[in-house]
Amino acid sequence: METIRISAVSYFNTIPFVYGIKNSRLLKNYELSIDVPSKCALKLIEGKADIGLVPVAALPKINNYQIVGNYCIGAISKVRTVCLYSQVPINEISKIYLDSHSMTSVNLVKVLARDYWKISPVWINTNEESILGLSKLESVVAIGDKTFELENYFKFCFDLAEHWIEFTKLPFVFACWVANKQLDSDFIANFDKSLEFGILNIEDALKDYYLNHPLNVDLDYYLKNNINYIFDEKKKNGMKLFLQNILP
């Protein structure tokens, strides 16, 4: 049986997924890599992974993609880790720096700016990673683990999931599991069950994570309240609407 190459995202919100894949004992013959979201997508596009947790804005770039399973990285309220940080109110923003790690957050803020906030800022790509460097910018979209610290440096924090939900009345999907080819149905079924195992055992997943990553962040609350993992019909409708409206 061939080895299935899995690419998962390297952020806090995937801790349950990674724990389930590694500890459910349901999966065999797989290789797991941990990557930033943009690299997950690139691996699927280039055929360097068979299944990955892909930012939804990258889906059109993957040939013959197949959404796998019943779980995703989604939000039905504030997500906390995908935000526009600014020193000025939205209507005074003149330029926005963009995080290079996720096409989804970049496209989401552009849709909100155009259709909801009705602003036309200058968009500037940045590879800045340090908290100090990011904190010096007027307005910046930031995602992932660094946002827990970054939120202390700006006067305003606009949660992109919260604003999308206010605008559309639909939840938002940041990433979903995608295969770039037909995979064995038994593997897919067990893969989905392994994700479920992780979600049902968040406390154990965090205990395992904290052994090697001591933190002062309340990840239990974050994973159970800010992230919503169930890929239901409302989320699929929200994802469809987003993909219809992303800018070229």
Side-chain angles (χ1 to χ4, degrees):
M1 183 177 179
E2 68 172 319
T3 298
I4 303 299
R5 300 164 298 173
I6 304 170
S7 175
V9 174
S10 56
Y11 293 156
F12 293 147
N13 54 29
T14 62
I15 290 173
F17 287 157
V18 172
Y19 180 81
I21 290 169
K22 290 182 175 180
N23 294 280
S24 67
R25 299 182 181 179
L26 293 168
L27 297 179
K28 298 179 180 179
N29 299 315
Y30 74 90
E31 293 178 356
L32 176 65
S33 62
I34 306 297
D35 305 296
V36 297
S38 57
K39 190 170 183 181
C40 284
L42 188 61
K43 282 188 172 182
L44 268 288
I45 292 168
E46 295 181 345
K48 295 179 180 178
D50 304 305
I51 184 170
L53 187 58
V54 174
V56 297
L59 292 179
K61 298 180 179 293
I62 302 172
N63 291 330
N64 303 313
Y65 74 84
Q66 301 174 44
I67 294 176
V68 173
N70 298 301
Y71 302 99
C72 67
I73 300 295
I76 57 175
S77 59
K78 286 185 177 181
V79 73
R80 191 177 177 186
T81 48
V82 183
C83 296
L84 168 61
Y85 297 98
S86 181
Q87 302 296 0
V88 298
I90 280 182
N91 61 350
E92 296 180 17
I93 292 175
S94 61
K95 56 186 175 183
I96 296 177
Y97 289 83
L98 300 170
D99 193 312
S100 63
H101 284 176
S102 173
M103 290 176 59
T104 298
S105 62
V106 168
N107 280 278
L108 177 55
V109 73
K110 288 183 176 181
V111 169
L112 290 172
R114 180 192 65 189
D115 298 336
Y116 187 43
W117 302 328
K118 307 297 184 182
I119 61 174
S120 300
V122 175
W123 304 104
I124 305 170
N125 294 323
T126 179
N127 292 315
E128 179 62 61
E129 284 295 308
S130 72
I131 299 299
L132 182 61
L134 290 169
S135 68
K136 294 178 180 178
L137 304 177
E138 176 195 285
S139 301
V140 60
V141 172
I143 68 169
D145 304 348
K146 59 181 174 286
T147 58
F148 286 96
E149 187 175 353
L150 196 61
E151 61 191 17
N152 299 316
Y153 288 86
F154 287 86
K155 293 180 181 178
F156 299 93
C157 173
F158 307 105
D159 189 294
L160 298 191
E162 182 181 33
H163 281 249
W164 167 266
I165 293 164
E166 289 175 354
F167 176 44
T168 66
K169 312 305 179 189
L170 289 169
F172 193 79
V173 178
F174 289 96
C176 57
W177 289 99
V178 173
N180 55 9
K181 63 181 181 181
Q182 188 72 38
L183 296 177
D184 179 77
S185 58
D186 288 338
F187 179 88
I188 293 299
N190 286 328
F191 181 77
D192 205 44
K193 289 177 183 177
S194 73
L195 301 180
E196 180 183 35
F197 178 86
I199 293 166
L200 293 176
N201 292 279
I202 286 177
E203 293 87 353
D204 290 336
L206 287 175
K207 287 177 184 177
D208 182 71
Y209 187 83
Y210 284 141
L211 288 175
N212 298 308
H213 307 84
L215 297 168
N216 293 318
V217 177
D218 185 1
L219 291 182
D220 185 78
Y221 182 89
Y222 167 67
L223 296 178
K224 292 179 179 178
N225 294 275
N226 297 119
I227 303 299
N228 192 277
Y229 292 103
I230 308 303
F231 196 28
D232 57 22
E233 286 304 313
K234 284 188 176 180
K235 288 196 188 69
K236 291 175 183 177
N237 289 337
M239 186 178 77
K240 181 179 179 180
L241 180 63
F242 173 65
L243 289 173
Q244 289 172 344
N245 285 277
I246 59 177
L247 304 180

